[in-house]
Amino acid sequence: MKKTLLSTIVMCLAAVGAMAQPAGGFGGFQAPQVKLETSQEWKDVNYAGDDKAYHTCDIYLPKKAAASYPVVIHIYGSAWFSNSSKGMADLGTIVKTLLDNGYAVVCPNHRSSMDAEWPAQINDIRAVIRFVRGEAKKYHFDPSFIATSGFSSGGHLSSTAATTSGMKTATFGQITVDLEGNLGAYTNQPSTVNAACDWSGPVDLTDMDCGEHMSMGANSPEDVLLKSKLDKEPDKYKSLSPVYYVNKNNPPIIIFHGGQDKVVPNCQGKKFFELLKAAGVKTEGTFPENGNHGGAEMYTEENLQKMVKFLNEVRKR
């Protein structure tokens, strides 16, 4: 990719991070108006019990009435630079498809790399999962099925929530990572998930140079998130990488990653898929040759329905 285009992308992401810092109010970046067929919606619900915009979520219930709904927590992508982009979380594609097929969808904000270092971001997603269980009655959630989903850095967080499901901490060398955190009123609830969807997520942050990829220059998004460098503290980068948590107890995970993705190289998704298969985890991998980093080639009706079919099959197990 041309260096000028790379610079523009990185500058835009940095601007998003800077602009999105909480300023005492809720809201956040919004996609162009997307008409979702819902029965109920709640906006800017705080899942952590504080006054931070980065700890809010939007909740959507399907139009078709039911006593309760299985839940998918869908996480936006931003290279971890944005803390307020839940209004841009693939509403017209992934979220719409999930709603149309009977899933409640929760779209959360989370702390950016400008707000806090890793593992704050997975602590936030864990808090969302516990919130869904703790507030199940109020929002008509069925806590027997909670999945995560996400695009790009959101796919990373979705995959990490799944591969670390049931783990409180993890140790790599001299580094111990608190995966759970203690946010919110429902720390007594489990933060386990039943399945995950990974759309173009970076999953091995120790090997972002695999395949054809963008050169990030002096500081990559993961460098900013970890406030470090791979050659100085490799264990930090392992702690950030879902592939290092893969084991036979992982919940089912479906992966979508485009062959023309030059932002997060396609070999990331393929490596994740092979490791999950080798561990005996239920998984599927879809790698469209013409697929880019998101966009129409990835969000085809076929792929979106493949996601739904996978989640439905997991629920029947």
Side-chain angles (χ1 to χ4, degrees):
M1 181 174 290
K2 300 289 187 183
K3 188 170 287 187
T4 53
L5 178 55
L6 168 62
S7 299
T8 301
I9 291 171
V10 174
M11 286 174 65
C12 287
L13 289 172
V16 166
M19 291 168 60
Q21 304 309 307
F26 293 147
F29 293 98
Q30 299 294 315
Q33 184 64 38
V34 175
K35 177 61 177 175
L36 297 174
E37 296 290 334
T38 63
S39 58
Q40 285 184 279
E41 299 180 12
W42 293 266
K43 298 294 181 71
D44 301 321
V45 177
N46 193 289
Y47 60 82
D50 57 24
D51 63 351
K52 304 299 185 182
Y54 52 52
H55 284 152
T56 59
C57 64
D58 296 339
I59 299 168
Y60 305 93
L61 299 187
K63 186 175 182 180
K64 186 177 180 180
S68 62
Y69 303 92
V71 183
V72 178
I73 298 165
H74 184 69
I75 310 160
Y76 58 81
S78 72
W80 309 286
F81 281 123
S82 175
N83 63 14
S84 194
S85 292
K86 59 185 171 58
M88 298 179 70
D90 309 293
L91 300 185
T93 52
I94 294 170
V95 172
K96 181 181 186 301
T97 299
L98 290 167
L99 287 169
D100 290 348
N101 285 275
Y103 288 87
V105 182
V106 178
C107 294
N109 284 335
H110 60 76
R111 280 173 286 179
S112 73
S113 55
M114 307 297 174
D115 299 304
E117 293 180 33
W118 178 259
Q121 294 70 29
I122 194 63
N123 293 166
D124 289 351
I125 300 307
R126 291 283 190 99
V128 177
I129 298 165
R130 296 193 301 266
F131 172 86
V132 166
R133 288 195 167 93
E135 296 282 359
K137 185 174 181 180
K138 178 177 180 179
Y139 294 107
H140 309 287
F141 296 143
D142 176 1
S144 71
F145 186 86
I146 301 172
T148 53
S149 173
F151 165 67
S152 195
S153 62
H156 162 268
L157 291 172
S158 172
S159 298
T160 306
T163 54
T164 66
S165 189
M167 298 174 62
K168 301 294 185 182
T169 64
T171 300
F172 297 89
Q174 301 300 310
I175 297 171
T176 296
V177 181
D178 176 10
L179 297 165
E180 190 68 30
N182 59 0
L183 290 169
Y186 298 106
T187 53
N188 61 322
Q189 294 287 344
S191 60
T192 53
V193 296
N194 302 98
C197 307
D198 170 17
W199 294 85
S200 311
V203 290
D204 186 353
L205 285 306
T206 71
D207 191 24
M208 289 300 289
D209 288 343
C210 72
E212 190 175 351
H213 63 283
M214 294 169 60
S215 174
M216 286 295 175
N219 294 294
S220 68
E222 58 269 24
D223 293 342
V224 177
L225 181 63
L226 295 170
K227 306 296 185 288
S228 189
K229 293 289 184 182
L230 178 60
D231 60 352
K232 291 183 178 180
E233 296 183 287
D235 289 335
K236 277 192 174 184
Y237 290 75
K238 290 179 180 179
S239 79
L240 184 61
S241 302
V243 296
Y244 284 94
Y245 298 102
V246 170
N247 66 80
K248 65 180 181 179
N249 298 317
N250 292 162
I253 301 173
I254 187 169
I255 301 162
F256 299 88
H257 209 133
Q260 301 303 312
D261 192 333
K262 303 300 189 297
V263 179
V264 178
N266 173 264
C267 44
Q268 290 273 311
K270 287 185 173 180
K271 178 178 183 178
F272 194 24
F273 175 62
E274 294 299 331
L275 286 171
L276 290 167
K277 277 201 308 182
V281 178
K282 176 178 172 58
T283 185
E284 289 182 16
T286 297
F287 308 103
E289 282 300 320
N290 65 335
N292 294 301
H293 195 62
E297 297 86 358
M298 293 302 298
Y299 298 143
T300 62
E301 187 63 19
E302 180 183 1
N303 285 347
L304 292 169
Q305 291 304 320
K306 191 176 291 188
M307 169 188 68
V308 170
K309 182 175 181 288
F310 184 85
L311 294 175
N312 287 346
E313 289 176 351
V314 175
R315 289 172 57 205
K316 293 175 183 176
R317 293 176 71 182

